[in-house]
Amino acid sequence: MDDSSAPGRSRTYDRVLLKISGEALMGDQSYGLNPPTVARIAREVQSVHELGVEICMVIGGGNIFRGLQGSAQGMERTTADYMGMLATVMNALAMQSALEALDIYTRVISAIPMDQICEPYIRRRAVRHLEKKRVCIFAAGTGNPYFTTDTAATLRANEMRCQAIFKGTKVDGVYDKDPTKFEDAKRYDRVTYDEVLQKNLGVMDASAIALARDNRLPIVVFSLDEPGGFRGILAGQGTYTTVHA
């Protein structure tokens, strides 16, 4: 079956949000930031920026601190989540540095005010940055505990009127089970929001999927480890899964 009519296939995007995990910045390390890996991802963003696409980013903080893990070890959940938000700011600053080394104007915009190092989140100002072809990296989640960066990404994508969320992962789409553990794992070309929720496919947390569904915002899941994969999808090429209505 030709899937050229699939949502996200062979269409033009003017504004997208790229969501990546903090772990994606670790490279081969078990913790923290790996500068060559950050630089490689920045080049992937650059390749899409050169197409004239307006790009937002949300980066998780799990490479530095994950609120749920801290809570599980006895830390008060709200405090742990705020620490996780601060980790996302650190990752955003690292990505900003890598993008600006490529001469791409970038703004880190935080849901928690910290004026000396980044801008506070003001929707109209962020939209204006995008219109000026600046990459906007949204940090500190939603600014509230108990919400993941997946939910923050979906919220910001809707507020910025993005045409899709691109979720970069270690695998080339959504599978019915972990393809790194099961050789018979089946990859979906297309899957609905409801199927993701019913089958617990682990694309994003349930709140993020529900928010995307309610606003009919497609989610494109692809491998961030595939060189040129981000740009290729925008050209209607490559292997990925689209989550849609």
Side-chain angles (χ1 to χ4, degrees):
M1 175 181 174
D2 179 8
D3 63 351
S4 61
S5 62
R9 176 74 69 174
S10 297
R11 60 162 292 179
T12 301
Y13 290 101
D14 298 312
R15 181 180 295 172
V16 300
L17 186 142
L18 175 63
K19 167 64 171 70
I20 62 177
S21 67
E23 287 87 350
L25 306 183
M26 294 192 306
D28 294 331
Q29 301 173 176
S30 59
Y31 176 84
L33 290 158
N34 179 255
T37 300
V38 177
R40 177 183 63 78
I41 295 173
R43 289 192 295 271
E44 293 287 319
V45 174
Q46 179 191 36
S47 70
V48 172
H49 184 265
E50 289 172 345
L51 298 175
V53 178
E54 297 170 3
I55 305 170
C56 316
M57 295 182 71
V58 170
I59 307 172
N63 58 317
I64 299 172
F65 188 87
R66 186 179 294 277
L68 274 174
Q69 290 179 353
S71 178
Q73 294 172 9
M75 184 177 292
E76 196 272 322
R77 173 66 188 271
T78 301
T79 299
D81 279 354
Y82 278 125
M83 291 174 67
M85 291 179 213
L86 295 177
T88 72
V89 176
M90 295 171 68
N91 285 338
L93 291 172
M95 183 58 64
Q96 179 186 43
S97 177
L99 287 168
E100 291 187 339
L102 299 172
D103 296 323
I104 298 173
Y105 291 108
T106 308
R107 295 291 185 272
V108 172
I109 301 173
S110 172
I112 299 175
M114 45 187 81
D115 295 342
Q116 272 106 344
I117 58 174
C118 53
E119 294 184 8
Y121 176 70
I122 300 172
R123 187 184 66 83
R124 289 180 180 273
R125 182 185 292 177
V127 170
R128 187 62 179 145
H129 285 320
L130 291 172
E131 291 171 347
K132 291 182 177 180
K133 305 303 180 183
R134 297 166 180 160
V135 173
C136 289
I137 307 176
F138 296 113
T142 66
N144 300 289
Y146 295 94
F147 289 92
T148 67
T149 50
D150 281 345
T151 302
T154 310
L155 174 64
R156 297 295 184 235
N158 280 305
E159 289 179 309
M160 296 298 106
R161 298 188 180 277
C162 293
Q163 293 159 319
I165 295 175
F166 281 70
K167 182 166 183 183
T169 69
K170 292 185 177 296
V171 294
D172 58 357
V174 179
Y175 286 78
D176 60 349
K177 48 191 168 184
D178 190 342
T180 63
K181 298 179 180 178
F182 301 94
E183 293 183 359
D184 62 342
K186 173 189 173 185
R187 187 182 65 82
Y188 297 93
D189 282 331
R190 290 174 284 171
V191 64
T192 67
Y193 305 111
D194 288 338
E195 287 178 304
V196 169
L197 292 172
Q198 291 165 6
K199 298 178 181 179
N200 195 27
L201 295 178
V203 177
M204 288 179 161
D205 66 72
S207 297
I209 294 295
L211 183 58
R213 179 191 61 193
D214 292 348
N215 292 277
R216 302 181 69 84
L217 178 67
I219 303 168
V220 180
V221 183
F222 71 104
S223 173
L224 196 64
D225 293 335
E226 182 69 28
F230 188 19
R231 182 183 176 118
I233 295 171
L234 292 165
Q237 303 168 352
T239 303
Y240 56 90
T241 299
T242 304
V243 182
H244 63 99

